[in-house]
Amino acid sequence: MSADSYLEVQTLLADHYRNPRHWGVAAGGASRYGRSPGCGDEQVIYATARPGGEVVLSFRAKGCALSRASTSILLEYVEGLSWAEISVLDESVLLDLLGPEVVHSRPKCALLGLGLLRELAQQRHGDPAEERRGEPAERRRG
């Protein structure tokens, strides 16, 4: 990562830490709590679905700047996606958004929100891997 790119990512993280997007509690939906025991980060992601399947997300967090900012950036990224689209996200999303140097420097902090978001999506939409295992063998191959 170039020095300019690194500075851009650090500026982005600082902005999202100080002014998190999607901050707050969403009433009437599902939520998922998680913590990182090693560093003390705690987060709750809240989700509701609008008619038509659009997912509305918010979160509350206590913890380090990376944990809070990466979740804010992630929720901004997934805005407008369906549960099905969210359920297949993986670490590569944050690697693309923040860079491997940042994510790999403290992966538990950077990925806490992603793990909670995926758990929520799988709870609301179902685990795609589980759905495939339940299909007849001839459909799984195709």
Side-chain angles (χ1 to χ4, degrees):
M1 177 180 282
S2 73
D4 288 341
S5 296
Y6 185 77
L7 182 59
E8 286 177 25
V9 169
Q10 293 304 313
T11 302
L12 178 68
L13 288 169
D15 179 40
H16 276 265
Y17 174 71
R18 289 186 197 106
N19 305 296
R21 282 41 156 208
H22 302 277
W23 186 258
V25 177
S31 66
R32 198 64 162 186
Y33 166 83
R35 64 187 298 265
S36 185
C39 63
D41 293 334
E42 294 183 65
Q43 293 187 2
V44 180
I45 296 181
Y46 302 92
T48 56
R50 291 187 177 145
E54 181 187 356
V55 178
V56 179
L57 298 162
S58 63
F59 80 110
R60 297 291 295 204
K62 291 190 290 185
C64 72
L66 179 57
S67 174
R68 184 166 149 173
S70 65
T71 299
S72 175
I73 292 165
L74 179 65
L75 294 188
E76 190 172 60
Y77 174 82
V78 302
E79 189 171 2
L81 297 182
S82 68
W83 285 124
E85 293 165 315
I86 292 170
S87 70
V88 296
L89 295 177
D90 62 18
E91 178 181 321
S92 66
V93 171
L94 286 171
L95 290 171
D96 290 344
L97 293 170
L98 303 177
E101 294 86 353
V102 172
V103 174
H104 292 151
S105 69
R106 293 191 357 243
K108 288 183 181 179
C109 299
L111 300 174
L112 177 59
L114 176 62
L116 297 175
L117 184 59
R118 282 194 49 132
E119 288 175 14
L120 260 177
Q122 291 167 359
Q123 173 188 343
R124 305 297 289 183
H125 176 70
D127 185 344
E130 287 297 323
E131 290 176 16
R132 297 261 320 151
R133 279 194 281 271
E135 292 178 2
E138 60 274 4
R139 288 189 59 199
R140 282 193 302 251
R141 288 189 218 116

PDB file of all heavy atoms in Angstrom, residues 5-6 23-24 54 66 70 75 79 83 124 129 135:
ATOM      1  N   SER A   5      -2.185   6.008  -0.131  1.00  0.00           N
ATOM      2  CA  SER A   5      -3.326   5.118   0.115  1.00  0.00           C
ATOM      3  C   SER A   5      -3.485   4.856   1.602  1.00  0.00           C
ATOM      4  O   SER A   5      -4.608   4.843   2.124  1.00  0.00           O
ATOM      5  CB  SER A   5      -3.152   3.792  -0.619  1.00  0.00           C
ATOM      6  OG  SER A   5      -3.155   3.985  -1.999  1.00  0.00           O
ATOM      7  N   TYR A   6      -2.370   4.625   2.290  1.00  0.00           N
ATOM      8  CA  TYR A   6      -2.407   4.373   3.724  1.00  0.00           C
ATOM      9  C   TYR A   6      -2.990   5.584   4.462  1.00  0.00           C
ATOM     10  O   TYR A   6      -3.831   5.436   5.344  1.00  0.00           O
ATOM     11  CB  TYR A   6      -1.014   4.045   4.247  1.00  0.00           C
ATOM     12  CG  TYR A   6      -0.995   3.662   5.704  1.00  0.00           C
ATOM     13  CD1 TYR A   6      -1.406   2.392   6.109  1.00  0.00           C
ATOM     14  CD2 TYR A   6      -0.593   4.568   6.681  1.00  0.00           C
ATOM     15  CE1 TYR A   6      -1.409   2.033   7.442  1.00  0.00           C
ATOM     16  CE2 TYR A   6      -0.596   4.221   8.021  1.00  0.00           C
ATOM     17  CZ  TYR A   6      -1.007   2.961   8.392  1.00  0.00           C
ATOM     18  OH  TYR A   6      -1.016   2.619   9.712  1.00  0.00           O
ATOM     19  N   TRP A  23     -25.385   4.763  13.036  1.00  0.00           N
ATOM     20  CA  TRP A  23     -25.255   4.649  14.482  1.00  0.00           C
ATOM     21  C   TRP A  23     -26.634   4.718  15.119  1.00  0.00           C
ATOM     22  O   TRP A  23     -27.447   5.565  14.756  1.00  0.00           O
ATOM     23  CB  TRP A  23     -24.388   5.796  15.006  1.00  0.00           C
ATOM     24  CG  TRP A  23     -24.061   5.706  16.461  1.00  0.00           C
ATOM     25  CD1 TRP A  23     -24.656   6.413  17.465  1.00  0.00           C
ATOM     26  CD2 TRP A  23     -23.079   4.890  17.074  1.00  0.00           C
ATOM     27  NE1 TRP A  23     -24.095   6.083  18.669  1.00  0.00           N
ATOM     28  CE2 TRP A  23     -23.120   5.147  18.459  1.00  0.00           C
ATOM     29  CE3 TRP A  23     -22.168   3.956  16.600  1.00  0.00           C
ATOM     30  CZ2 TRP A  23     -22.280   4.512  19.369  1.00  0.00           C
ATOM     31  CZ3 TRP A  23     -21.330   3.316  17.494  1.00  0.00           C
ATOM     32  CH2 TRP A  23     -21.386   3.595  18.853  1.00  0.00           C
ATOM     33  N   GLY A  24     -26.932   3.828  16.016  1.00  0.00           N
ATOM     34  CA  GLY A  24     -28.185   3.875  16.746  1.00  0.00           C
ATOM     35  C   GLY A  24     -28.828   2.522  16.879  1.00  0.00           C
ATOM     36  O   GLY A  24     -28.263   1.503  16.487  1.00  0.00           O
ATOM     37  N   GLU A  54     -35.446  -4.668   1.177  1.00  0.00           N
ATOM     38  CA  GLU A  54     -34.286  -3.838   1.521  1.00  0.00           C
ATOM     39  C   GLU A  54     -34.010  -3.934   3.012  1.00  0.00           C
ATOM     40  O   GLU A  54     -34.912  -3.837   3.834  1.00  0.00           O
ATOM     41  CB  GLU A  54     -34.515  -2.382   1.136  1.00  0.00           C
ATOM     42  CG  GLU A  54     -33.323  -1.507   1.461  1.00  0.00           C
ATOM     43  CD  GLU A  54     -33.572  -0.023   1.251  1.00  0.00           C
ATOM     44  OE1 GLU A  54     -34.658   0.346   0.774  1.00  0.00           O
ATOM     45  OE2 GLU A  54     -32.682   0.755   1.584  1.00  0.00           O
ATOM     46  N   LEU A  66     -10.613   0.959  15.286  1.00  0.00           N
ATOM     47  CA  LEU A  66     -10.690   0.074  14.123  1.00  0.00           C
ATOM     48  C   LEU A  66     -11.984  -0.728  14.121  1.00  0.00           C
ATOM     49  O   LEU A  66     -12.654  -0.843  13.091  1.00  0.00           O
ATOM     50  CB  LEU A  66      -9.481  -0.857  14.066  1.00  0.00           C
ATOM     51  CG  LEU A  66      -9.460  -1.845  12.902  1.00  0.00           C
ATOM     52  CD1 LEU A  66      -9.534  -1.119  11.557  1.00  0.00           C
ATOM     53  CD2 LEU A  66      -8.202  -2.705  12.976  1.00  0.00           C
ATOM     54  N   SER A  70     -14.552   0.171  11.172  1.00  0.00           N
ATOM     55  CA  SER A  70     -14.720  -0.843  10.124  1.00  0.00           C
ATOM     56  C   SER A  70     -16.177  -1.279  10.015  1.00  0.00           C
ATOM     57  O   SER A  70     -16.686  -1.515   8.915  1.00  0.00           O
ATOM     58  CB  SER A  70     -13.793  -2.041  10.341  1.00  0.00           C
ATOM     59  OG  SER A  70     -14.121  -2.730  11.521  1.00  0.00           O
ATOM     60  N   LEU A  75     -21.271  -1.156   7.051  1.00  0.00           N
ATOM     61  CA  LEU A  75     -22.715  -0.915   6.954  1.00  0.00           C
ATOM     62  C   LEU A  75     -23.029   0.109   5.872  1.00  0.00           C
ATOM     63  O   LEU A  75     -24.059   0.002   5.205  1.00  0.00           O
ATOM     64  CB  LEU A  75     -23.283  -0.477   8.304  1.00  0.00           C
ATOM     65  CG  LEU A  75     -23.234  -1.517   9.425  1.00  0.00           C
ATOM     66  CD1 LEU A  75     -24.009  -1.036  10.643  1.00  0.00           C
ATOM     67  CD2 LEU A  75     -23.727  -2.871   8.970  1.00  0.00           C
ATOM     68  N   GLU A  79     -25.387  -0.892   2.361  1.00  0.00           N
ATOM     69  CA  GLU A  79     -26.659  -0.181   2.318  1.00  0.00           C
ATOM     70  C   GLU A  79     -27.397  -0.498   1.017  1.00  0.00           C
ATOM     71  O   GLU A  79     -26.843  -0.402  -0.073  1.00  0.00           O
ATOM     72  CB  GLU A  79     -26.414   1.318   2.422  1.00  0.00           C
ATOM     73  CG  GLU A  79     -27.664   2.120   2.593  1.00  0.00           C
ATOM     74  CD  GLU A  79     -27.371   3.582   2.903  1.00  0.00           C
ATOM     75  OE1 GLU A  79     -26.204   3.992   2.949  1.00  0.00           O
ATOM     76  OE2 GLU A  79     -28.353   4.307   3.097  1.00  0.00           O
ATOM     77  N   TRP A  83     -30.763  -9.451   2.120  1.00  0.00           N
ATOM     78  CA  TRP A  83     -30.170 -10.449   3.021  1.00  0.00           C
ATOM     79  C   TRP A  83     -29.370 -11.472   2.226  1.00  0.00           C
ATOM     80  O   TRP A  83     -28.303 -11.906   2.652  1.00  0.00           O
ATOM     81  CB  TRP A  83     -31.248 -11.162   3.827  1.00  0.00           C
ATOM     82  CG  TRP A  83     -31.829 -10.363   4.946  1.00  0.00           C
ATOM     83  CD1 TRP A  83     -33.140 -10.071   5.135  1.00  0.00           C
ATOM     84  CD2 TRP A  83     -31.140  -9.765   6.045  1.00  0.00           C
ATOM     85  NE1 TRP A  83     -33.302  -9.324   6.274  1.00  0.00           N
ATOM     86  CE2 TRP A  83     -32.090  -9.124   6.854  1.00  0.00           C
ATOM     87  CE3 TRP A  83     -29.803  -9.704   6.423  1.00  0.00           C
ATOM     88  CZ2 TRP A  83     -31.759  -8.440   8.020  1.00  0.00           C
ATOM     89  CZ3 TRP A  83     -29.465  -9.012   7.582  1.00  0.00           C
ATOM     90  CH2 TRP A  83     -30.433  -8.396   8.361  1.00  0.00           C
ATOM     91  N   ARG A 124     -31.653 -14.352   9.204  1.00  0.00           N
ATOM     92  CA  ARG A 124     -32.805 -13.791   8.504  1.00  0.00           C
ATOM     93  C   ARG A 124     -33.056 -14.450   7.149  1.00  0.00           C
ATOM     94  O   ARG A 124     -34.185 -14.603   6.729  1.00  0.00           O
ATOM     95  CB  ARG A 124     -32.641 -12.284   8.311  1.00  0.00           C
ATOM     96  CG  ARG A 124     -32.398 -11.512   9.584  1.00  0.00           C
ATOM     97  CD  ARG A 124     -33.533 -11.588  10.529  1.00  0.00           C
ATOM     98  NE  ARG A 124     -34.644 -10.817  10.013  1.00  0.00           N
ATOM     99  CZ  ARG A 124     -35.783 -10.637  10.634  1.00  0.00           C
ATOM    100  NH1 ARG A 124     -35.979 -11.193  11.803  1.00  0.00           N
ATOM    101  NH2 ARG A 124     -36.749  -9.932  10.097  1.00  0.00           N
ATOM    102  N   ALA A 129     -24.984 -22.232   2.474  1.00  0.00           N
ATOM    103  CA  ALA A 129     -24.364 -23.563   2.469  1.00  0.00           C
ATOM    104  C   ALA A 129     -25.344 -24.605   2.992  1.00  0.00           C
ATOM    105  O   ALA A 129     -25.434 -25.710   2.462  1.00  0.00           O
ATOM    106  CB  ALA A 129     -23.087 -23.561   3.314  1.00  0.00           C
ATOM    107  N   GLU A 135     -30.603 -29.600  -0.666  1.00  0.00           N
ATOM    108  CA  GLU A 135     -31.129 -29.851  -2.008  1.00  0.00           C
ATOM    109  C   GLU A 135     -30.814 -31.280  -2.440  1.00  0.00           C
ATOM    110  O   GLU A 135     -29.839 -31.868  -1.995  1.00  0.00           O
ATOM    111  CB  GLU A 135     -30.478 -28.895  -3.020  1.00  0.00           C
ATOM    112  CG  GLU A 135     -30.856 -27.453  -2.837  1.00  0.00           C
ATOM    113  CD  GLU A 135     -30.147 -26.551  -3.842  1.00  0.00           C
ATOM    114  OE1 GLU A 135     -29.399 -27.061  -4.699  1.00  0.00           O
ATOM    115  OE2 GLU A 135     -30.340 -25.344  -3.743  1.00  0.00           O
TER     116      GLU A 135
END
